[in-house]
Amino acid sequence: MIELTDIRKAFNQGRENEFHALGGIDLQLPAQRVTALRGPSGSGKTTLLSIIGCLSRPTSGRVRLKGQDISGLPERFLTDIRRQTFGFVFQQFNLIKGLSALENVMLPAYPLGGDWRELHEKAQRLLGDLRLSHRREARVEWLSGGEQQRVAIARALINDPEIIIADEPTANLDTALSMEFMAILEKLSASGKTVILTSHDPLVVDSSIVHQVVDMRDGRVVRQDTTRNTMESPA
Amino acid sequence: MNAWIAKQQYLIDFTLSSLARRKAKNLGLLIVYTLIVFLLASVMLFTHALRHEAAHVLDGAPEVVLQRMVAGRHDLIPPGYLERLGRIRGVQNKEGRLWGYYYDPVVKANYTFMVPNREPVPAGTLVVGAALAKARGLAVGNVISFRSYSGKLFGFSVARILSPDTELVSADLVLLNEGDFRNFFEIAPGYFTDIALSVANPQEVRNVATKLAQQFPDSRPILRDEILRTYESIFNWREGIVLALASLAILAFAIFAWEKASGLSAEEKREIGILKAIGWETGDVIKMKFWEGALVSLAAFVFGYVLAYLHVFHTSAMLFTPVLKGWAVLYPHFDLPPVIDGFQVATLFFFTVFPYAAATLVPIWRAAITDPDSVMR
Ligand SMILES: Nc1ncnc2c1ncn2[C@@H]1O[C@H](COP(=O)(O)OP(=O)(O)OP(=O)(O)O)[C@@H](O)[C@H]1O
Ligand SMILES: [Mg+2]
């Protein structure tokens, strides 16, 4: 589904504080699988995830999405791809304060200009699936961390993306909530979504829900463990 | 097409809800902004209407007025002048006028006493201006007495009160009979205050003036066009004072707007990043943010202008009266007929709405074109 070839990323290029966050990454991310990027802090996980999710461009290297080279596309097309293909669950959740849970969920669909009633129903259904119906009119800043994350998940799903991207999804959650997140993840995976996440949380990376773990260090892939891919794709 | 319309609707909805979310900031901005527009628009509307009105008043005035000068001062026209005027080409009509000023210590104001050339006032009666009638509490039939400059007391009964429509001209006006006027000011028959000449062809006004100056070296012809120009310059000067004050206000506003606009708050920057990350196009984000600023400034413009209109034309510009008028005590209440100049509206719009919109756009554009990966941190 996603193929990365010799991806490099340099920050502050040409300046004194030039920094190479990624030093040539080759990676295959299969469709309908859960892949976890693991590695110490500063190893480049978030940077790589941003490139995969079209939030930023690599300094060099190729990104292929379903066979199409997208690394050279102009900003407009990247935005389209981002909206249609990816759903994001950010570590800080990144909900928009002052808006209700429901409005936050609907937000990514606004630029598509679909029918409001349909969109509204869909958002409510998603919140219902995540057991948040009773909180849908609440402003997001009044929600607990676990609730906020579920709103963020619902928002990631509103445009029916094929790929879910989650950066440290359990970093702000306690064990019980992390388990709950894993259960949601399992459902998403079972429904055919491709999931790419980063984590150092053993609860995530050691879980049987994760099909593939990619170990990173200093901007390089040091180990790609596909052997544990025992569980066949749950149909 | 439907999707496009729906998308615009979503954008507008979101813009409005964003405005509502930052109520305090936007309300503060709206108030300050409205105030500035109000002040500027008031000055513009007021001076424009005043100038318009003055020109309108002078429309009915004679083209040339001849005044006699003695030792550089305005003096009475002696008998015989009017007759000597006989045959100057281009002069259609000529008449001696009688008018003068009278200081009324009761209300501490100057009145203009005048003998009308048409519709003479019956002896012993007066026709008075509305403002004067109000100041002295006069009604038709009342008797009022004035002490003349020589100390004698004269009693008159009020025959009529002038309609308040013409107040700018007639507020302090007292019309009276020629005989009464001559007695009151002790002006012998045959003498006049000045001579009014009407000249039909505007091209001939200058010629007539030259001839008058030759024929009556002791007199001075005053042209209506010159009065008009003097009025203009007085208005311009007064307007200049107020505009100088207003420009200070604009400066303060510019600083305020720049501060508000150029520094997007961290929260706003973050929101822009989030919207982009979840699939909003840069153009959509800029449009939405632009409309936020534009709506505030448009609303302020409309509010400010409407308030200024009410201020100038319904409260008689009460805030400016001391600066802008100030040439008579008896004008507490004159209502200018509303005049709006499209060019002025456009100018005001351009200098208030436009800079703000532009100032807000730059930082938004800068925030919107950066990669949205910052939301990952
Ligand atoms: N915009 C930036 N400018 C400069 N350096 C950056 C920028 N973003 C990331 N870096 C650097 O790139 C390196 C990789 O960062 P990244 O956030 O990808 O690490 P990470 O593996 O996600 O770490 P963590 O586990 O702490 O989230 C870090 O050393 C970071 O300081
Ligand atoms: Mg990270």
Side-chain angles (χ1 to χ4, degrees):
Chain A
M1 158 140 276
I2 297 175
E3 250 184 273
L4 304 176
T5 323
D6 197 24
I7 295 293
R8 289 166 195 275
K9 178 77 174 179
F11 290 109
N12 308 318
Q13 224 176 355
R15 268 182 275 165
E16 207 151 304
N17 55 349
E18 181 172 306
F19 182 82
H20 295 269
L22 298 176
I25 298 226
D26 297 295
L27 200 57
Q28 310 263 338
L29 301 165
Q32 305 191 325
R33 285 288 185 279
V34 179
T35 302
L37 305 178
R38 175 172 63 184
S41 187
S43 56
K45 304 182 294 291
T46 300
T47 306
L48 184 58
L49 211 54
S50 315
I51 291 171
I52 293 170
C54 301
L55 290 173
S56 65
R57 295 154 193 272
T59 310
S60 69
R62 270 178 204 297
V63 183
R64 275 173 198 282
L65 175 67
K66 291 188 276 184
Q68 189 198 0
D69 188 349
I70 59 168
S71 21
L73 290 180
E75 150 89 26
R76 267 184 85 82
F77 293 91
L78 284 184
T79 307
D80 270 351
I81 291 170
R82 194 155 68 225
R83 181 168 56 221
Q84 286 162 13
T85 316
F86 296 98
F88 295 90
V89 179
F90 303 101
Q91 184 178 349
Q92 316 290 342
F93 310 139
N94 278 336
L95 300 171
I96 293 197
K97 290 203 187 87
L99 293 182
S100 70
L102 196 64
E103 286 171 295
N104 264 286
V105 174
M106 289 161 61
L107 217 46
Y110 284 0
L112 297 172
D115 178 60
W116 188 85
R117 195 183 305 270
E118 270 170 40
L119 175 60
H120 202 251
E121 274 164 16
K122 188 171 177 189
Q124 279 184 315
R125 198 170 56 242
L126 282 170
L127 284 173
D129 290 348
L130 294 163
R131 295 180 299 104
L132 271 176
S133 290
H134 61 296
R135 301 296 275 154
R136 63 167 179 255
E137 297 302 339
R139 288 179 173 213
V140 287
E141 62 266 35
W142 297 338
L143 301 178
S144 73
E147 287 171 331
Q148 288 193 21
Q149 191 185 47
R150 279 180 282 150
V151 174
I153 294 170
R155 183 180 66 182
L157 296 173
I158 193 76
N159 285 342
D160 274 328
E162 292 165 63
I163 305 170
I164 305 290
I165 286 190
D167 194 17
E168 311 272 357
T170 60
N172 288 329
L173 305 179
D174 63 16
T175 308
L177 286 172
S178 298
M179 305 277 276
E180 205 177 312
F181 172 79
M182 292 312 285
I184 295 168
L185 194 64
E186 190 168 11
K187 271 198 219 160
L188 289 177
S189 173
S191 69
K193 304 275 187 213
T194 304
V195 179
I196 303 161
L197 52 81
T198 69
S199 188
H200 358 239
D201 187 351
L203 202 137
V204 176
V205 286
D206 296 342
S207 151
S208 61
I209 297 159
V210 175
H211 301 114
Q212 160 172 267
V213 176
V214 177
D215 279 300
M216 294 182 64
R217 182 172 288 275
D218 300 329
R220 292 173 191 280
V221 174
V222 290
R223 193 165 69 109
Q224 192 173 352
D225 169 21
T226 43
T227 53
R228 46 180 287 176
N229 191 3
T230 45
M231 228 169 78
E232 266 314 304
S233 167
Chain B
M1 194 63 202
N2 267 344
W4 186 86
I5 292 173
K7 177 176 166 180
Q8 305 309 311
Q9 263 166 1
Y10 282 124
L11 278 184
I12 292 167
D13 272 2
F14 186 75
T15 305
L16 291 176
S17 87
S18 293
L19 284 173
R21 274 188 295 140
R22 282 181 276 274
K23 231 176 278 153
K25 177 194 157 181
N26 288 314
L27 214 63
L29 187 63
L30 187 69
I31 290 171
V32 176
Y33 210 142
T34 302
L35 205 70
I36 304 290
V37 175
F38 166 77
L39 282 176
L40 291 176
S42 290
V43 178
M44 286 184 163
L45 281 172
F46 185 74
T47 49
H48 183 70
L50 213 54
R51 213 179 284 153
H52 194 83
E53 183 68 2
H56 179 70
V57 166
L58 284 174
D59 257 0
E63 281 77 20
V64 185
V65 168
L66 190 69
Q67 285 184 346
R68 181 164 176 257
M69 306 299 290
V70 170
R73 289 180 49 90
H74 179 191
D75 199 32
L76 292 177
I77 302 276
Y81 270 53
L82 201 55
E83 290 72 32
R84 275 173 55 199
L85 259 175
R87 285 160 296 280
I88 292 183
R89 253 185 40 159
V91 175
Q92 210 172 35
N93 196 20
K94 53 185 168 112
E95 59 194 17
R97 300 195 304 180
L98 284 169
W99 58 271
Y101 297 122
Y102 174 78
Y103 178 76
D104 182 0
V106 178
V107 292
K108 298 193 174 58
N110 267 308
Y111 303 155
T112 306
F113 276 42
M114 194 167 162
V115 177
N117 281 314
R118 283 161 276 281
E119 299 178 52
V121 179
T125 66
L126 296 179
V127 172
V128 297
L132 190 159
K134 200 161 157 214
R136 291 289 304 250
L138 292 177
V140 174
N142 286 7
V143 172
I144 182 169
S145 38
F146 295 117
R147 188 175 294 281
S148 79
Y149 290 123
S150 58
K152 274 186 276 183
L153 209 58
F154 287 76
F156 299 98
S157 76
V158 176
R160 194 158 66 84
I161 292 169
L162 288 168
S163 122
D165 293 349
T166 55
E167 232 178 284
L168 181 58
V169 219
S170 67
D172 66 345
L173 200 58
V174 175
L175 300 179
L176 69 174
N177 182 270
E178 180 175 344
D180 291 342
F181 185 92
R182 292 194 187 275
N183 287 337
F184 189 77
F185 289 109
E186 298 184 340
I187 294 176
Y191 284 87
F192 290 100
T193 312
D194 54 24
I195 294 173
L197 302 150
S198 43
V199 179
N201 183 355
Q203 243 104 59
E204 280 192 283
V205 171
R206 290 254 155 224
N207 291 338
V208 171
T210 316
K211 278 188 208 144
L212 284 173
Q214 283 165 0
Q215 195 175 346
F216 302 98
D218 63 343
S219 301
R220 133 182 110 172
I222 298 167
L223 308 187
R224 187 180 64 186
D225 287 350
E226 272 169 9
I227 303 177
L228 215 86
R229 226 167 297 135
T230 311
Y231 269 17
E232 282 272 317
S233 67
I234 288 174
F235 285 142
N236 284 342
W237 177 74
R238 285 173 192 271
E239 192 180 26
I241 294 180
V242 178
L243 279 180
L245 292 175
S247 57
L248 284 179
I250 295 180
L251 193 69
F253 170 70
I255 293 166
F256 165 86
W258 188 253
E259 223 223 51
K260 283 273 179 204
S262 58
L264 279 183
S265 68
E267 183 68 25
E268 282 176 288
K269 273 190 202 148
R270 197 179 138 260
E271 274 187 28
I272 290 176
I274 295 173
L275 290 174
K276 282 197 70 179
I278 62 176
W280 283 45
E281 274 161 35
T282 307
D284 294 338
V285 175
I286 293 177
K287 240 185 272 172
M288 187 270 291
K289 280 280 165 190
F290 172 74
W291 277 115
E292 246 183 72
L295 279 177
V296 170
S297 49
L298 268 174
F301 182 79
V302 172
F303 287 157
Y305 203 85
V306 168
L307 282 177
Y309 186 94
L310 293 177
H311 168 227
V312 170
F313 297 122
H314 289 265
T315 72
S316 308
M318 57 187 200
L319 296 181
F320 295 153
T321 315
V323 197
L324 282 164
K325 269 188 302 195
W327 63 71
V329 197
L330 266 187
Y331 294 145
H333 242 318
F334 79 101
D335 291 323
L336 285 167
V339 202
I340 291 180
D341 179 10
F343 179 71
Q344 269 189 348
V345 178
T347 309
L348 190 62
F349 185 84
F350 187 78
F351 279 102
T352 50
V353 175
F354 187 76
Y356 183 73
T360 51
L361 214 52
V362 175
I364 291 164
W365 176 76
R366 251 190 307 192
I369 56 160
T370 52
D371 276 342
D373 64 333
S374 60
V375 293
M376 295 285 256
R377 326 240 138 234

